[in-house]
Amino acid sequence: MKRTKIKYALNAQSPMDEILVKGWVRTKRDNKGFSFVELNDGSCLGNIQTVIDHTPEIEQVLAEVGTGASVAIEGALVESPGKGQKWEIRGTSIELIGEADQETFPLQKKRHSDEFLRSIAHMRPRTNKYGAMFRIRSELAQAVHKFFADKDFFYIHTPIITGSDCEGAGEMFRVTSLEAGSQLPPEEDFFGKPSQLTVSGQLSVEMFSLSLGDCYTFGPTFRAENSNTARHVAEFWMIEPEIVFADLSDDMDLGEEMIKYLVTHILDHCAADVELFAKWVDKSLMPTLETVLKDSFARITYTEAIDILTKTKKKFDFPVEWGMDLQTEHERFLCEEKFKKPVYVYDYPKVIKPFYMRMNDDNKTVAAMDCLVPRIGEIIGGSQREERLAVLINRMDELGLDKEAYWWYLDSRRYGTAPHAGFGMGFERMLMLVTGVANIRDVMPFPRTPNSLEF
Ligand code: 4AD
Ligand code: MG
């Protein structure tokens, strides 16, 4: 018999004479003459209750079955006389597939702290909360691709190993095949020059948007920033669309549409899993998501933002002045207290932004934008790109960049340049938004942070 995923058993339309389920035991209760076994196979939040009458053989198997063991149960799917579930399985046989040592099994029936569960990240998807998290994560990734496919964007696989620095923030991990401690120069290394893990696929995807039209890349990115915050990790996934014959306002439109689409998709497709987070993790999750969906996002210039932040009575840890980068406390104030909804801040000072952003006429600001959302702060960072060759060269000179190394990037402005814009959305930050989870480590299968490379 073919196994039925528990999700389908729980949603059955009618009883089934024969059913086979396989999964991990959440609880087992022995009674006189029969046992209850609650089984979960990860396909959904719910467990299927199975009731198994004792025979000498079955009793022998059940004696070995503890919490966490994997089993196969055959029987009939019948309407449950008990409360709390529509269907249950009348088991006629049980097979122990993999036993679980009860002395050391780390998951108890009680609620565990997130900190503890992080220390057993290999086991935490067996819990309700993290099972729900990683089902949502999977659905969200699929939704990203669907969003772009429906809009005729092409999906580009940009390189992970790179020789160029997109963001210019000096946060790159080096890649080498030389032995540790080797004194050999980069010319002797694998690529014959210094190589790093990418911080962004943008520069590559730009080349494709200037050839195929609207494109996106969605892949892992790496940053060696030594910030131990609840919103930063060394390895994260970024979604980077690039739209052509488009400007900054088109870019902000796309980001807003995408956030609303993804929130709607998750509410529609992961209702039970999201409900868990709304109930146990963040009571304000649903109201927050409603705010995201309801109104259009606020849009203010950086200069207006600084104005608001200097005029408010609120005290910040970081003093506010024109030219500074906004800190999370400022970002959260703007969307949580001032506007009470997502906010775009655009036209940032050029001095705090990378070389590729389009210079504004004031020659002081660039056509950059950040999208800020409640509880998280920056979820999207993007810009219109500098498409004018002379201006771009000028800017690279100002910043002391090696133009030789970016010869191919400059070529795109030499041959059929066109206005284009794009952004990067932190996939994990998007997950934090739809689940209300406050620490980025808890939306990733195996998070990588300073001094932490277990699993
Ligand atoms: O603002 P960032 O640095 O933008 C870029 O990398 C551009 N090249 C994107 C583009 O225009 N194509 O990063 C984009 C987003 C941030 O808004 C944030 O959501 C996320 O990536 N992000 C991080 N997420 C987790 N951990 C980190 N260390 C992150 N750094 C950035
Ligand atoms: Mg940014």
Side-chain angles (χ1 to χ4, degrees), residues 28 34 45 80 192 196 273 275 333 370 408 415 418:
K28 184 190 73 165
F34 66 97
L45 186 62
S80 176
Q196 294 97 14
D273 288 330
E275 205 182 296
F333 171 80
D370 276 2
W408 51 275
Y415 310 118

Side-chain angles (χ1 to χ4, degrees), residues 401-453:
L401 290 179
D402 176 11
K403 293 194 294 294
E404 302 275 290
Y406 292 91
W407 65 273
W408 51 275
Y409 190 76
L410 291 168
D411 262 7
S412 69
R413 274 60 171 172
R414 231 169 238 132
Y415 310 118
T417 190
H420 60 293
F423 62 79
M425 170 189 281
F427 182 64
E428 283 75 21
R429 298 213 182 152
M430 189 63 211
L431 260 169
M432 292 168 77
L433 180 69
V434 294
T435 58
V437 165
N439 195 317
I440 194 166
R441 292 166 181 78
D442 299 332
V443 305
M444 313 196 72
F446 298 113
R448 271 76 178 93
T449 51
N451 295 312
S452 165
L453 190 64

Side-chain angles (χ1 to χ4, degrees), residues 9 49 62 104 108 120 135 200 207 231 246 287 297-298 308 332:
Q49 170 165 293
L62 281 170
T104 54
Q108 310 297 321
I120 51 163
R135 279 187 297 273
S200 160
M207 301 304 104
R231 286 170 310 279
F297 297 2
I308 292 168
R332 292 188 57 173

Side-chain angles (χ1 to χ4, degrees), residues 190-215:
F190 191 91
F191 296 105
K193 61 178 186 175
S195 51
Q196 294 97 14
L197 292 178
T198 186
V199 294
S200 160
Q202 176 198 322
L203 303 186
S204 316
V205 89
E206 275 188 56
M207 301 304 104
F208 280 80
S209 76
L210 289 167
S211 310
L212 304 186
D214 301 340
C215 288

Side-chain angles (χ1 to χ4, degrees), residues 167 200 202 223 225 233 238 240 378-379 381 385 423-424 426:
E167 294 303 296
S200 160
Q202 176 198 322
R223 297 207 181 166
E225 51 193 334
V233 273
M238 190 159 40
E240 296 183 273
E378 179 188 342
I379 190 167
R385 319 307 188 187
F423 62 79

Side-chain angles (χ1 to χ4, degrees), residues 167 223 238 325 331 348 352-354 356-357 369-371 378-382 424 429:
E167 294 303 296
R223 297 207 181 166
M238 190 159 40
D325 214 351
E331 298 176 340
Y348 280 79
I352 53 170
K353 292 294 181 186
Y356 56 73
M357 295 187 177
M369 59 86 160
D370 276 2
C371 182
E378 179 188 342
I379 190 167
I380 280 178
R429 298 213 182 152

